[in-house]
Amino acid sequence: MKITKGLIPMIAAGLLLASCEKKVVVQDQTGNETAVSDAPNTTISNNETVQREDLPEPVKSFVDKHYAGTGVAHYELKTIPAMGDRYEVKMNNGAEIDFDKDGNWEEIKDGQGVPDALVPQNILSYVQQNYPGIKIKSIDKDNNKIKVNLLNDIDLEFDSNGTFIRIDK
């Protein structure tokens, strides 16, 4: 039997995703937290519940500083083999922030516009100069690039220093 070259990476990716451990915590208006399972391949048990105080301090500080008063709708802890823990925080206003194991943000999605204070200055200046009045819908640090999606559906790509590379199509 002959296996195509594209099939092997697809199988490897599937096995990687299937082996991810995911914990989801929902926080209600009063701050009470409940572990829930909302997706296949999700592992939740009563003794694995992630409490807000279990989040890395940088994650808590980030949320408190940049989304003060918004409230956390829920957050997830994902354990990915070879990458470690990842935290996904969803705010009550619909914003979503992904953090690495050390609490550094990797991706921010905000339909109301990513707060300017979170956008590297070079990128913010470029967007303000070339797309005045258009807010950033999402920003994603991806390897050595930073991808920015604007609310007008234009996607931009920058290098890790914030220098414009191209419009991503």
Side-chain angles (χ1 to χ4, degrees):
M1 181 169 108
K2 188 174 182 180
I3 298 177
T4 62
K5 289 182 182 179
L7 184 59
I8 293 173
M10 287 175 40
I11 292 170
L15 291 172
L16 179 65
L17 287 174
S19 67
C20 291
E21 182 178 323
K22 182 176 172 184
K23 301 171 192 171
V24 181
V25 176
V26 176
Q27 186 176 54
D28 66 18
Q29 299 287 30
T30 63
N32 294 326
E33 297 174 338
T34 306
V36 297
S37 173
D38 68 349
N41 302 323
T42 300
T43 304
I44 303 291
S45 74
N46 291 335
N47 61 357
E48 294 177 334
T49 301
V50 179
Q51 300 297 322
R52 183 179 187 280
E53 58 270 7
D54 294 336
L55 290 171
E57 192 56 43
V59 173
K60 291 186 280 190
S61 296
F62 179 96
V63 168
D64 292 344
K65 179 177 181 179
H66 299 289
Y67 288 91
T70 303
V72 175
H74 75 275
Y75 46 86
E76 304 172 16
L77 169 62
K78 292 183 178 181
T79 302
I80 303 171
M83 292 181 70
D85 290 344
R86 296 288 187 261
Y87 300 90
E88 291 182 4
V89 178
K90 296 186 183 186
M91 308 303 295
N92 284 330
N93 70 351
E96 299 178 20
I97 307 117
D98 294 347
F99 297 91
D100 67 13
K101 64 180 170 43
D102 297 319
N104 302 306
W105 72 265
E106 293 181 323
E107 182 176 13
I108 304 169
K109 298 176 188 173
D110 192 334
Q112 299 172 30
V114 173
D116 289 349
L118 300 176
V119 180
Q121 189 57 50
N122 291 3
I123 294 173
L124 184 61
S125 296
Y126 180 88
V127 170
Q128 290 173 338
Q129 180 179 353
N130 293 284
Y131 302 95
I134 305 297
K135 293 191 173 264
I136 295 173
K137 178 172 47 176
S138 69
I139 184 166
D140 182 10
K141 296 177 190 174
D142 185 30
N143 296 325
N144 294 325
K145 296 180 184 172
I146 300 173
K147 296 179 181 180
V148 172
N149 299 329
L150 304 179
L151 285 173
N152 64 356
D153 291 327
I154 293 177
D155 298 337
L156 307 172
E157 192 172 295
F158 299 83
D159 67 15
S160 59
N161 296 318
T163 304
F164 176 74
I165 298 174
R166 66 187 176 106
I167 294 176
D168 195 17
K169 297 180 182 185

